[in-house]
Amino acid sequence: MFRALRYSLQAAIALLFVALIGYFSDSPPYIYHDARMALVKLSFSHASQRAVECRRRSAEELAQLAPNMRIAMDCPRQRVVARVELYLDEKLLFAGDMPPGGIAGDGAGSVYQRFVVLPGRYLVTARLRDSARSEGFDYENSKLVELRSRQNFVVDFRAETGGFQFF
Amino acid sequence: MTGTRTPRRWLDRLEGGFDLIFTPRHNPLNQLGALGWFFYWIVLVTGIYLYIFFDTGLRDAYESLERITHVQWFAGGVMRSLHRYASDALVLVMVVHVMREWVLGRFRGARWFAWVSGVPLLWFVYASGISGYWMVWDQLAQYIAIATTEWLDALPFFGEPIARNFLRDGTLSGRFFTLMVFIHIGVPLFLMFLMWVHIQRHMSPRVNPPRGLAVGILLVLVLLSLIKPALSQAPADLGVVPAVIGFDWFYLPAYPLLEKISGLSLWGILVFGSLFMLCFPWIGRIRRQPVAVVDLDNCNGCGRCVQDCPFSALTLEPRQDGLPFSHQVEVKSALCMSCGICAGACPTATPFRRSKALTPGIDMPHRPLQEILGQSVAATAVLTGEDRVLVYLCDAGPKLADVIADSGVAVVCLPCVAMLPPPFMDYLLSRDHVDGIFLAGCRQGDCHFRLGLEWTEQRIARERDPMLRRRVQRERIGHAWVGCAHDVQLQAQLADFRAGLPHRRGEPPAKGVAPESSEPVTEDAGHV
C-alpha cells in the first residue's frame, strides 16, 4: 500500500478514535429530570415506639433469673411498624409503612421517596404514627410552599425538634 | 480451535486491514491489553498532578478544579482532559479486548485464569471512573452521587439510606470529599494490583505498546484535550435538581436504566451477568487436548522449553532420576495449552539422531514429533515437479484445502508452527524430500498461542535456540502469517514462494551436508 495512503488511513482512524472518545465523554446529554417540574423528597429515619410497654419484673421472676441478668425492667426490643403519609393539598402523595430495622426489629425504620410534581403553591402535610395506637397520628405538620421548577423540596423528620421539617 | 467461527473470520479480515494500515507491529487491535496499561499510566500520572492542586471541601473541590482548568489551562487543563479522555479510552479498549478474546475463544483451557481475573477488573475500572466524577462536585457529580447512593440503598445492607446524605446542602460535609479522595486513590491502586494478577500466567506479557503507537495515541489525546478540554458543568446545588446533564457514556451507560427498572434488578443483571461471564471458560463444548509430557531419559534440563512456553506451564526442578544433570522439566498440567511450542524448542527433537525413534525430551501425546516427521516424509514422497513444497499449517491459521490437490504441495497440520523444530526443516531440505518449506500461521502479531510466530521467526533467523543451521538456504523457507480468513492471500504468497525457489533438481545435496551423521542441532545443544 502506498505510504501516503497508509498515513492518511492512520490519520482517519486516529481521528475517528478521538472523535468517539471526545463525543461520548459528555454527549449526548442525558435528561434526568423534566426542567419544567419540581421534585418533592420525603426521607427520614426514625425509631418508632416499642411494640410492648416496659414492665417491672416481680421478685419471683427476678429470682428465677441468673444473678447477672436480674434487671428490674423487662423491655422487649421489638418496635412498632410506623405509618407515614404525605399530602399535597388534599391529594395523597404517599402512604406507607416503615418497618423497624435490624434483625430483632428494634432499629430505626426509614423512608426515601421522591415525587415529580408541577410547580405551584401547595399545602404540604406530613403525618407519622409511630406508636401502637390504631387511629390518628403522633406527629403532623403542614406548610404552605411555593414550589419552583427544578426545586428539590425536602420533607425530613426529627422527633427532637418537634416532628416534620420542610426545606 | 474454539471461538465463534464466523465472527472470528470477520474479525480476522478487519484486523488484516488494520495490519495493512498500521503494520502488524503497530496494529492497535493487536495491542489492546498493552494499550489498557498505557491508558492506566496516563490516568495515574495526570491524577497525581491534579491531586497536587485539588482541594477537598464542599466549595473548594469545584473551585480548585476551575482554577486548574482555566488558570493553568496549558498544564492543569490539559492534564485534566488527558485524565478524563485516557479513562474513557481505557474503558473502550477494555470492552473491545473482552469482546475480541471472546470471539477468538481465548478464554478456555489454561486461559481461564486471565479471563476470570479480568471480570473483576471491569468492576474496578468502573468504580475508579465513577468515583472520580463525584470529586468534581458539579451537576453531573450531584446526579451521580444521588443516583449511586439510591442504587446502593436498594441493597439490604444499609440501615439508614445513604442517599439521605445528599438531601440538601446542610446534610453534606466537606469530609465527604476526603472520603471520595481516599476511594478514588484506593480503588485504582487495587485495580493496578488486579491488572498485575491478570497477566501473571503469561510469559513475556505485553504491557507496553510499541513506542510509535504509544506516542501517536498520546499525541491525539493531547490534541483532543486542546481542542475540546474537559470542563466542569454548573456547580452542584442540592436545592436544585439537575435536569439535562452532560453524560459520560463510557462510564455511566447503566445509570439511565435506574429510571426504568429497580435498583435491585440492575444489581441482579450486573452481578449475574458477571457470574455468567466468570463461567464462560467452562460453558459449551470443551475439547481439552492432552498436555505436554517430559521424557526424562531424553531431557537434560537445558530449560529452553521453559523459556519458550508462552503460558508459564513448565518449570525447572531439581533432578530426581539420578542422571548427572542439575535440573529436570516439570509440566504444570493446569497451565498447559497443548500448543507444542515446547517440543519445537527441545534440542533433542532432531531427526538426524542415530536412534531409530525420534524421542525428544518433551513431546505432545496427541501429536508426537515422530508422527509429524513420518507424515512429513510420507506426504513429500508423492510430490513431483521442481518446486515441491511442504506446507506446515497452524491449526489456528488459514485453511488450504484448494491447494492440496496440487501435485507439488503437501500439507501437514500442527497445533502451532512453533512446534516444528528447526532440524526438521534442515532434514527435509538436505535429504531432498522437498525444495521448499512453507509455514502458514496466524496473523503476524496475533499468534493464537501468543509467542509461536515470534519464536519461529527468531529460530529461523538464528537468534534463538534451537537455531536453524547455517547450511540451510533461507530462501527455501517461506512463511505467510495471514490468519484464518485470508486463504486467497496465503495461496498467492505460496505461489510467489514456489516461483522464487532456487532451481536445484539434479544437483547434489547442499554443501557440507553429511546426511547419515548424527549432528547437534545447535552449537551447544545438549544431547543426552
Side-chain angles (χ1 to χ4, degrees):
Chain A
M1 192 178 284
F2 295 110
R3 184 173 290 190
L5 179 60
R6 271 189 48 216
Y7 288 154
S8 304
L9 288 172
Q10 283 181 16
I13 290 171
L15 202 64
L16 188 69
F17 171 72
V18 293
L20 194 74
I21 296 287
Y23 181 72
F24 286 107
S25 69
D26 64 359
S27 306
Y30 171 58
I31 300 171
Y32 168 61
H33 177 83
D34 188 338
R36 296 164 301 182
M37 305 295 277
L39 187 74
V40 174
K41 266 187 193 168
L42 169 68
S43 174
F44 61 90
S45 283
H46 173 63
S48 55
Q49 296 175 30
R50 295 181 189 279
V52 179
E53 290 293 320
C54 295
R55 68 177 181 89
R56 185 170 293 280
R57 288 191 173 100
S58 65
E60 292 77 23
E61 285 176 318
L62 283 172
Q64 285 174 354
L65 294 171
N68 62 323
M69 301 293 284
R70 286 175 187 161
I71 301 165
M73 298 302 289
D74 176 19
C75 295
R77 297 169 64 180
Q78 180 74 39
R79 294 181 185 274
V80 298
V81 175
R83 175 79 179 173
V84 61
E85 290 180 2
L86 180 69
Y87 290 85
L88 236 55
D89 294 334
E90 298 301 316
K91 186 184 166 194
L92 178 67
L93 207 57
F94 175 75
D97 291 333
M98 262 174 51
I103 296 169
D106 60 344
S110 295
V111 63
Y112 184 94
Q113 297 287 332
R114 49 189 172 105
F115 312 94
V116 177
V117 299
L118 282 166
R121 183 184 292 264
Y122 295 101
L123 179 68
V124 182
T125 305
R127 295 171 181 156
L128 174 71
R129 178 166 62 232
D130 73 341
S131 63
R133 64 198 284 178
S134 55
E135 288 183 359
F137 290 87
D138 299 292
Y139 298 92
E140 178 171 338
N141 298 82
S142 296
K143 187 177 184 183
L144 188 65
V145 294
E146 179 80 40
L147 295 182
R148 302 179 309 277
S149 54
R150 292 184 60 200
Q151 182 179 350
N152 180 35
F153 181 74
V154 176
V155 180
D156 203 343
F157 177 87
R158 287 189 195 283
E160 62 272 23
T161 54
F164 286 99
Q165 297 176 315
F166 303 97
F167 301 97
Chain B
M1 271 304 297
T2 54
T4 319
R5 201 164 290 270
T6 307
R8 187 169 165 249
R9 291 181 74 85
W10 291 343
L11 181 66
D12 206 68
R13 286 203 183 96
L14 174 72
E15 294 188 343
F18 270 60
D19 278 350
L20 289 175
I21 296 167
F22 289 95
T23 74
R25 179 172 153 72
H26 293 91
N27 182 347
L29 296 176
N30 290 343
Q31 306 282 345
L32 292 168
L35 284 175
W37 278 93
F38 180 61
F39 291 131
Y40 179 85
W41 296 129
I42 294 177
V43 174
L44 187 74
V45 170
T46 53
I48 290 170
Y49 183 89
L50 294 174
Y51 181 65
I52 294 169
F53 299 97
F54 180 74
D55 291 332
T56 55
L58 208 50
R59 288 202 176 76
D60 301 337
Y62 185 85
E63 286 169 2
S64 65
L65 273 169
E66 285 297 281
R67 277 197 303 275
I68 291 168
T69 308
H70 298 294
V71 177
Q72 49 160 308
W73 62 269
F74 49 90
V78 171
M79 286 289 191
R80 182 185 178 189
S81 302
L82 278 176
H83 194 67
R84 176 184 294 184
Y85 293 138
S87 309
D88 289 335
L90 173 59
V91 170
L92 185 65
V93 295
M94 180 179 73
V95 171
V96 177
H97 183 49
V98 171
M99 290 168 64
R100 184 175 183 273
E101 298 305 290
W102 175 70
V103 168
L104 295 173
R106 293 179 183 168
F107 52 86
R108 294 200 186 277
R111 281 182 157 126
W112 72 266
F113 183 81
W115 180 267
V116 168
S117 61
V119 174
L121 282 180
L122 300 172
W123 284 80
F124 275 85
V125 166
Y126 276 97
S128 303
I130 291 168
S131 62
Y133 271 114
W134 285 37
M135 293 169 64
V136 182
W137 205 231
D138 60 358
Q139 293 218 330
L140 175 62
Q142 180 183 340
Y143 162 75
I144 293 174
I146 293 170
T148 306
T149 48
E150 286 179 357
W151 189 22
L152 285 167
D153 284 332
L155 298 170
F157 304 145
F158 304 100
E160 186 173 340
I162 50 176
R164 280 183 47 73
N165 290 302
F166 303 98
L167 274 185
R168 53 193 177 89
D169 282 328
T171 57
L172 190 62
S173 86
R175 286 188 180 179
F176 159 73
F177 291 95
T178 310
L179 173 69
M180 289 316 297
V181 167
F182 177 75
I183 291 174
H184 192 55
I185 292 173
V187 174
L189 284 178
F190 196 70
L191 170 69
M192 183 164 64
F193 168 71
L194 285 180
M195 286 163 70
W196 174 76
V197 170
H198 182 58
I199 55 169
Q200 272 312 290
R201 289 193 176 177
H202 284 172
M203 175 71 83
S204 311
R206 250 187 259 167
V207 290
N208 293 313
R211 189 175 299 172
L213 182 64
V215 170
I217 285 180
L218 184 59
L219 282 178
V220 295
L221 286 182
V222 170
L223 193 68
L224 175 64
S225 303
L226 292 169
I227 294 171
K228 187 176 183 286
L231 301 173
S232 302
Q233 299 180 33
D237 178 353
L238 291 174
V240 177
V241 187
V244 181
I245 308 164
F247 215 60
D248 186 330
W249 291 94
F250 292 101
Y251 278 96
L252 308 168
Y255 276 67
L257 287 174
L258 289 168
E259 299 300 315
K260 307 285 180 194
I261 59 175
S262 72
L264 209 54
S265 303
L266 189 56
W267 280 118
I269 290 170
L270 295 179
V271 170
F272 283 103
S274 299
L275 290 174
F276 184 56
M277 275 183 78
L278 287 174
C279 298
F280 270 22
W282 300 278
I283 293 175
R285 192 168 48 121
I286 301 167
R287 287 178 303 170
R288 184 84 200 267
Q289 301 284 13
V291 300
V293 173
V294 177
D295 179 3
L296 278 183
D297 290 340
N298 289 284
C299 173
N300 65 3
C302 69
R304 288 185 177 89
C305 54
V306 178
Q307 288 166 12
D308 278 11
C309 177
F311 300 98
S312 306
L314 304 174
T315 52
L316 277 180
E317 304 293 338
R319 198 81 190 188
Q320 289 180 342
D321 61 355
L323 285 177
F325 302 109
S326 59
H327 291 91
Q328 66 185 46
V329 174
E330 284 190 6
V331 180
K332 293 180 191 166
S333 354
L335 305 187
C336 179
M337 289 291 293
S338 312
C339 61
I341 293 176
C342 51
C346 184
T348 59
T350 167
F352 291 107
R353 298 174 80 190
R354 286 190 189 283
S355 57
K356 271 191 174 178
L358 188 141
T359 47
I362 188 163
D363 207 351
M364 305 312 298
H366 66 295
R367 204 79 176 91
L369 285 174
Q370 176 68 42
E371 181 185 298
I372 292 168
L373 180 64
Q375 276 184 358
S376 304
V377 171
T380 54
V382 296
L383 296 182
T384 58
E386 298 188 345
D387 53 358
R388 301 160 303 154
V389 171
L390 177 60
V391 179
Y392 281 107
L393 198 62
C394 165
D395 283 345
K399 304 297 166 239
L400 205 53
D402 296 339
V403 210
I404 297 174
D406 193 305
S407 59
V409 177
V411 177
V412 171
C413 291
L414 297 172
C416 173
V417 285
M419 186 183 176
L420 187 71
F424 274 46
M425 299 184 239
D426 183 8
Y427 180 84
L428 292 166
L429 288 168
S430 63
R431 299 290 173 92
D432 199 27
H433 286 290
V434 284
D435 301 305
I437 288 175
F438 196 76
L439 309 171
C442 310
R443 276 186 323 98
Q444 192 164 22
D446 186 42
C447 174
H448 185 69
F449 293 113
R450 298 189 61 243
L451 302 169
L453 302 187
E454 199 177 330
W455 293 168
T456 301
E457 286 181 346
Q458 290 180 11
R459 289 170 189 168
I460 292 172
R462 301 174 184 120
E463 293 166 354
R464 184 180 193 86
D465 275 335
M467 299 177 192
L468 185 68
R469 292 197 69 182
R470 292 195 181 280
R471 69 182 184 184
V472 178
Q473 291 177 280
R474 291 278 297 275
E475 56 270 36
R476 293 194 179 279
I477 298 176
H479 68 254
W481 309 141
V482 293
C484 66
H486 297 85
D487 306 354
V488 176
Q489 194 182 337
L490 168 63
Q491 290 180 30
Q493 289 191 26
L494 177 59
D496 285 349
F497 170 70
R498 292 178 73 191
L501 277 174
H503 182 76
R504 76 167 187 181
R505 296 289 286 163
E507 291 176 6
K511 242 183 170 180
V513 175
E516 300 307 323
S517 66
S518 168
E519 24 188 2
V521 178
T522 61
E523 305 303 329
D524 59 344
H527 286 261
V528 179

